[in-house]
Amino acid sequence: MIEPRVFSRWHKLVAIGVISFISFAGLEALAYISNLYQIQLYLQASGMIYFFMILWLYFLFDVHYKEESLISRNLSHYVVLRFKHFLKWEHLRYFQNYLILPGILYWGAVILIGINFQQYKLQQFIIIATSISLITCYTFFKEVFHKREINTNHFIILTYVKLYASWLIYAASLGIIWYYCFSPTIFYLVIFLVTFMLLYQALFQFAKLSLKHVFYVFIISALLSASSYFVYKLWNVNYFSAGLFMTAVYNLLWNIFYNKINNTLSGRVLAEQITIFVLIVVMVLGVTNFKARIDRCQF
């Protein structure tokens, strides 16, 4: 008979192995398709891989949230009960919050891989960094589903993953706007929605979800959206550094907000966060040539 501790370790290894394969092999396949310039196949494959990512997250969620009363000897009846159990608002609300970060990571990577045709080194960097981030998310989320809470260390690490995700999606949204000549309004709206979702998920994870805090999240998201207007107007070549600048703004506002709701905001903390923000901005501005111009759509 397998000991519970050994079984748990084996279960964890399988969970990590599956998401590692889905994320790394999936993104590598997308890079290959992208470099063949098969746009329709690229979009179809992207949707299919994301479907498997959702399916695996749901499996991890369902395994740890199943109830004994739902056990049935009839397979079809059991499947019906499982999805009926999943459609409870409490469970659905909990599950959809944990879809946010993997979704932002994945689609940010999909966009950047797609618009950087045959930029092999850049594509590989995005694939490796995003795969590691997705593996981290799924591994920690599995523990959250099992223990019904998130510990401090996991929350801190996921915060860093969110910083990478914010850079990824901010850069990707600006890049695709330039690449396909979409209206900048879409860019401003995406920045608002992505920022709101990331902050909302953070509130949900450490149980600080209240109407007042959601209002603060709305204000921060609006500020990021307003800053995206100036980013669109000023940046004209390097959307990666533009994404980094917006991530610096996101990080500053998030840390002020986080310390505020935890009653740890002080003059010293505020000065530290502003100093970090200024240093990042100086580095970003130092590597960005604002005099360089490319032909792109003007609105």
Side-chain angles (χ1 to χ4, degrees), residues 155 206 208 213 254-265:
F155 183 80
F206 66 96
K208 295 290 185 178
H213 292 157
W254 156 250
N255 278 290
I256 293 174
F257 176 54
Y258 177 76
N259 284 282
K260 174 66 177 177
I261 61 180
N262 284 285
N263 298 316
T264 56
L265 184 63

PDB file of all heavy atoms in Angstrom, residues 155 206 208 213 254-265:
ATOM      1  N   PHE A 155       2.290  33.828  -1.875  1.00  0.00           N
ATOM      2  CA  PHE A 155       1.705  35.101  -2.312  1.00  0.00           C
ATOM      3  C   PHE A 155       2.778  36.053  -2.827  1.00  0.00           C
ATOM      4  O   PHE A 155       2.596  36.720  -3.855  1.00  0.00           O
ATOM      5  CB  PHE A 155       0.942  35.751  -1.160  1.00  0.00           C
ATOM      6  CG  PHE A 155       0.251  37.028  -1.539  1.00  0.00           C
ATOM      7  CD1 PHE A 155      -0.955  37.017  -2.208  1.00  0.00           C
ATOM      8  CD2 PHE A 155       0.833  38.264  -1.251  1.00  0.00           C
ATOM      9  CE1 PHE A 155      -1.579  38.195  -2.575  1.00  0.00           C
ATOM     10  CE2 PHE A 155       0.223  39.441  -1.613  1.00  0.00           C
ATOM     11  CZ  PHE A 155      -0.998  39.409  -2.271  1.00  0.00           C
ATOM     12  N   PHE A 206      -5.788  37.250  -0.811  1.00  0.00           N
ATOM     13  CA  PHE A 206      -5.489  37.436   0.616  1.00  0.00           C
ATOM     14  C   PHE A 206      -6.685  38.024   1.379  1.00  0.00           C
ATOM     15  O   PHE A 206      -6.556  38.697   2.395  1.00  0.00           O
ATOM     16  CB  PHE A 206      -4.199  38.243   0.846  1.00  0.00           C
ATOM     17  CG  PHE A 206      -4.208  39.672   0.418  1.00  0.00           C
ATOM     18  CD1 PHE A 206      -4.482  40.676   1.330  1.00  0.00           C
ATOM     19  CD2 PHE A 206      -3.881  40.024  -0.879  1.00  0.00           C
ATOM     20  CE1 PHE A 206      -4.466  42.011   0.947  1.00  0.00           C
ATOM     21  CE2 PHE A 206      -3.854  41.360  -1.261  1.00  0.00           C
ATOM     22  CZ  PHE A 206      -4.154  42.355  -0.347  1.00  0.00           C
ATOM     23  N   LYS A 208      -9.054  40.316   1.104  1.00  0.00           N
ATOM     24  CA  LYS A 208      -9.248  41.739   1.384  1.00  0.00           C
ATOM     25  C   LYS A 208     -10.280  42.345   0.428  1.00  0.00           C
ATOM     26  O   LYS A 208     -10.259  43.534   0.144  1.00  0.00           O
ATOM     27  CB  LYS A 208      -7.922  42.486   1.246  1.00  0.00           C
ATOM     28  CG  LYS A 208      -6.857  42.113   2.258  1.00  0.00           C
ATOM     29  CD  LYS A 208      -7.204  42.604   3.662  1.00  0.00           C
ATOM     30  CE  LYS A 208      -6.066  42.329   4.625  1.00  0.00           C
ATOM     31  NZ  LYS A 208      -6.360  42.841   5.982  1.00  0.00           N
ATOM     32  N   HIS A 213     -12.153  48.555  -1.295  1.00  0.00           N
ATOM     33  CA  HIS A 213     -10.911  48.131  -1.927  1.00  0.00           C
ATOM     34  C   HIS A 213     -11.076  47.953  -3.436  1.00  0.00           C
ATOM     35  O   HIS A 213     -10.162  48.268  -4.198  1.00  0.00           O
ATOM     36  CB  HIS A 213     -10.417  46.825  -1.297  1.00  0.00           C
ATOM     37  CG  HIS A 213      -9.982  46.994   0.120  1.00  0.00           C
ATOM     38  ND1 HIS A 213      -9.942  45.955   1.022  1.00  0.00           N
ATOM     39  CD2 HIS A 213      -9.574  48.101   0.811  1.00  0.00           C
ATOM     40  CE1 HIS A 213      -9.518  46.397   2.199  1.00  0.00           C
ATOM     41  NE2 HIS A 213      -9.295  47.692   2.093  1.00  0.00           N
ATOM     42  N   TRP A 254       0.651  49.423  -6.861  1.00  0.00           N
ATOM     43  CA  TRP A 254       0.283  48.202  -6.148  1.00  0.00           C
ATOM     44  C   TRP A 254       0.893  48.175  -4.751  1.00  0.00           C
ATOM     45  O   TRP A 254       0.213  47.845  -3.776  1.00  0.00           O
ATOM     46  CB  TRP A 254       0.717  46.971  -6.941  1.00  0.00           C
ATOM     47  CG  TRP A 254       0.915  45.746  -6.088  1.00  0.00           C
ATOM     48  CD1 TRP A 254       2.085  45.119  -5.778  1.00  0.00           C
ATOM     49  CD2 TRP A 254      -0.114  45.015  -5.391  1.00  0.00           C
ATOM     50  NE1 TRP A 254       1.860  44.048  -4.946  1.00  0.00           N
ATOM     51  CE2 TRP A 254       0.531  43.958  -4.688  1.00  0.00           C
ATOM     52  CE3 TRP A 254      -1.489  45.148  -5.277  1.00  0.00           C
ATOM     53  CZ2 TRP A 254      -0.164  43.055  -3.906  1.00  0.00           C
ATOM     54  CZ3 TRP A 254      -2.186  44.239  -4.486  1.00  0.00           C
ATOM     55  CH2 TRP A 254      -1.527  43.208  -3.823  1.00  0.00           C
ATOM     56  N   ASN A 255       2.167  48.507  -4.635  1.00  0.00           N
ATOM     57  CA  ASN A 255       2.822  48.458  -3.331  1.00  0.00           C
ATOM     58  C   ASN A 255       2.265  49.502  -2.363  1.00  0.00           C
ATOM     59  O   ASN A 255       2.129  49.231  -1.161  1.00  0.00           O
ATOM     60  CB  ASN A 255       4.333  48.634  -3.492  1.00  0.00           C
ATOM     61  CG  ASN A 255       5.034  47.347  -3.866  1.00  0.00           C
ATOM     62  OD1 ASN A 255       5.142  46.425  -3.058  1.00  0.00           O
ATOM     63  ND2 ASN A 255       5.496  47.260  -5.104  1.00  0.00           N
ATOM     64  N   ILE A 256       1.938  50.684  -2.881  1.00  0.00           N
ATOM     65  CA  ILE A 256       1.300  51.702  -2.031  1.00  0.00           C
ATOM     66  C   ILE A 256      -0.061  51.194  -1.556  1.00  0.00           C
ATOM     67  O   ILE A 256      -0.404  51.294  -0.369  1.00  0.00           O
ATOM     68  CB  ILE A 256       1.153  53.029  -2.792  1.00  0.00           C
ATOM     69  CG1 ILE A 256       2.536  53.642  -3.068  1.00  0.00           C
ATOM     70  CG2 ILE A 256       0.277  54.004  -2.005  1.00  0.00           C
ATOM     71  CD1 ILE A 256       2.485  54.882  -3.941  1.00  0.00           C
ATOM     72  N   PHE A 257      -0.826  50.634  -2.481  1.00  0.00           N
ATOM     73  CA  PHE A 257      -2.152  50.099  -2.161  1.00  0.00           C
ATOM     74  C   PHE A 257      -2.061  48.940  -1.163  1.00  0.00           C
ATOM     75  O   PHE A 257      -2.802  48.887  -0.171  1.00  0.00           O
ATOM     76  CB  PHE A 257      -2.815  49.637  -3.462  1.00  0.00           C
ATOM     77  CG  PHE A 257      -4.152  48.986  -3.281  1.00  0.00           C
ATOM     78  CD1 PHE A 257      -5.170  49.627  -2.594  1.00  0.00           C
ATOM     79  CD2 PHE A 257      -4.404  47.726  -3.816  1.00  0.00           C
ATOM     80  CE1 PHE A 257      -6.413  49.032  -2.427  1.00  0.00           C
ATOM     81  CE2 PHE A 257      -5.638  47.122  -3.666  1.00  0.00           C
ATOM     82  CZ  PHE A 257      -6.641  47.771  -2.964  1.00  0.00           C
ATOM     83  N   TYR A 258      -1.118  48.016  -1.409  1.00  0.00           N
ATOM     84  CA  TYR A 258      -0.952  46.845  -0.542  1.00  0.00           C
ATOM     85  C   TYR A 258      -0.598  47.263   0.886  1.00  0.00           C
ATOM     86  O   TYR A 258      -1.163  46.744   1.861  1.00  0.00           O
ATOM     87  CB  TYR A 258       0.137  45.933  -1.115  1.00  0.00           C
ATOM     88  CG  TYR A 258       0.443  44.725  -0.265  1.00  0.00           C
ATOM     89  CD1 TYR A 258      -0.418  43.630  -0.251  1.00  0.00           C
ATOM     90  CD2 TYR A 258       1.596  44.680   0.524  1.00  0.00           C
ATOM     91  CE1 TYR A 258      -0.144  42.518   0.534  1.00  0.00           C
ATOM     92  CE2 TYR A 258       1.869  43.569   1.308  1.00  0.00           C
ATOM     93  CZ  TYR A 258       1.002  42.492   1.311  1.00  0.00           C
ATOM     94  OH  TYR A 258       1.279  41.403   2.086  1.00  0.00           O
ATOM     95  N   ASN A 259       0.336  48.169   1.030  1.00  0.00           N
ATOM     96  CA  ASN A 259       0.729  48.635   2.359  1.00  0.00           C
ATOM     97  C   ASN A 259      -0.375  49.449   3.024  1.00  0.00           C
ATOM     98  O   ASN A 259      -0.516  49.423   4.249  1.00  0.00           O
ATOM     99  CB  ASN A 259       2.015  49.455   2.273  1.00  0.00           C
ATOM    100  CG  ASN A 259       3.251  48.601   2.086  1.00  0.00           C
ATOM    101  OD1 ASN A 259       3.754  47.992   3.018  1.00  0.00           O
ATOM    102  ND2 ASN A 259       3.742  48.531   0.852  1.00  0.00           N
ATOM    103  N   LYS A 260      -1.148  50.154   2.205  1.00  0.00           N
ATOM    104  CA  LYS A 260      -2.247  50.950   2.746  1.00  0.00           C
ATOM    105  C   LYS A 260      -3.309  50.060   3.388  1.00  0.00           C
ATOM    106  O   LYS A 260      -3.737  50.310   4.527  1.00  0.00           O
ATOM    107  CB  LYS A 260      -2.868  51.794   1.625  1.00  0.00           C
ATOM    108  CG  LYS A 260      -4.116  52.564   2.018  1.00  0.00           C
ATOM    109  CD  LYS A 260      -3.834  53.639   3.043  1.00  0.00           C
ATOM    110  CE  LYS A 260      -5.089  54.439   3.358  1.00  0.00           C
ATOM    111  NZ  LYS A 260      -4.854  55.452   4.417  1.00  0.00           N
ATOM    112  N   ILE A 261      -3.726  49.015   2.684  1.00  0.00           N
ATOM    113  CA  ILE A 261      -4.802  48.177   3.214  1.00  0.00           C
ATOM    114  C   ILE A 261      -4.318  47.261   4.334  1.00  0.00           C
ATOM    115  O   ILE A 261      -5.137  46.700   5.069  1.00  0.00           O
ATOM    116  CB  ILE A 261      -5.474  47.346   2.098  1.00  0.00           C
ATOM    117  CG1 ILE A 261      -4.472  46.412   1.430  1.00  0.00           C
ATOM    118  CG2 ILE A 261      -6.135  48.240   1.087  1.00  0.00           C
ATOM    119  CD1 ILE A 261      -5.084  45.569   0.335  1.00  0.00           C
ATOM    120  N   ASN A 262      -2.999  47.114   4.463  1.00  0.00           N
ATOM    121  CA  ASN A 262      -2.440  46.330   5.569  1.00  0.00           C
ATOM    122  C   ASN A 262      -1.949  47.211   6.711  1.00  0.00           C
ATOM    123  O   ASN A 262      -1.309  46.715   7.645  1.00  0.00           O
ATOM    124  CB  ASN A 262      -1.291  45.456   5.066  1.00  0.00           C
ATOM    125  CG  ASN A 262      -1.787  44.243   4.302  1.00  0.00           C
ATOM    126  OD1 ASN A 262      -2.277  43.276   4.908  1.00  0.00           O
ATOM    127  ND2 ASN A 262      -1.689  44.283   2.996  1.00  0.00           N
ATOM    128  N   ASN A 263      -2.228  48.514   6.602  1.00  0.00           N
ATOM    129  CA  ASN A 263      -1.839  49.487   7.635  1.00  0.00           C
ATOM    130  C   ASN A 263      -0.338  49.498   7.901  1.00  0.00           C
ATOM    131  O   ASN A 263       0.107  49.656   9.050  1.00  0.00           O
ATOM    132  CB  ASN A 263      -2.597  49.193   8.943  1.00  0.00           C
ATOM    133  CG  ASN A 263      -4.092  49.335   8.789  1.00  0.00           C
ATOM    134  OD1 ASN A 263      -4.577  50.284   8.180  1.00  0.00           O
ATOM    135  ND2 ASN A 263      -4.833  48.374   9.331  1.00  0.00           N
ATOM    136  N   THR A 264       0.449  49.316   6.852  1.00  0.00           N
ATOM    137  CA  THR A 264       1.911  49.343   6.983  1.00  0.00           C
ATOM    138  C   THR A 264       2.526  50.468   6.147  1.00  0.00           C
ATOM    139  O   THR A 264       3.753  50.519   6.016  1.00  0.00           O
ATOM    140  CB  THR A 264       2.512  47.992   6.547  1.00  0.00           C
ATOM    141  OG1 THR A 264       2.093  47.680   5.210  1.00  0.00           O
ATOM    142  CG2 THR A 264       2.098  46.877   7.483  1.00  0.00           C
ATOM    143  N   LEU A 265       1.685  51.321   5.599  1.00  0.00           N
ATOM    144  CA  LEU A 265       2.195  52.414   4.770  1.00  0.00           C
ATOM    145  C   LEU A 265       2.750  53.526   5.658  1.00  0.00           C
ATOM    146  O   LEU A 265       2.062  54.058   6.519  1.00  0.00           O
ATOM    147  CB  LEU A 265       1.088  52.967   3.868  1.00  0.00           C
ATOM    148  CG  LEU A 265       1.515  54.053   2.874  1.00  0.00           C
ATOM    149  CD1 LEU A 265       2.538  53.511   1.884  1.00  0.00           C
ATOM    150  CD2 LEU A 265       0.290  54.606   2.137  1.00  0.00           C
TER     151      LEU A 265
END
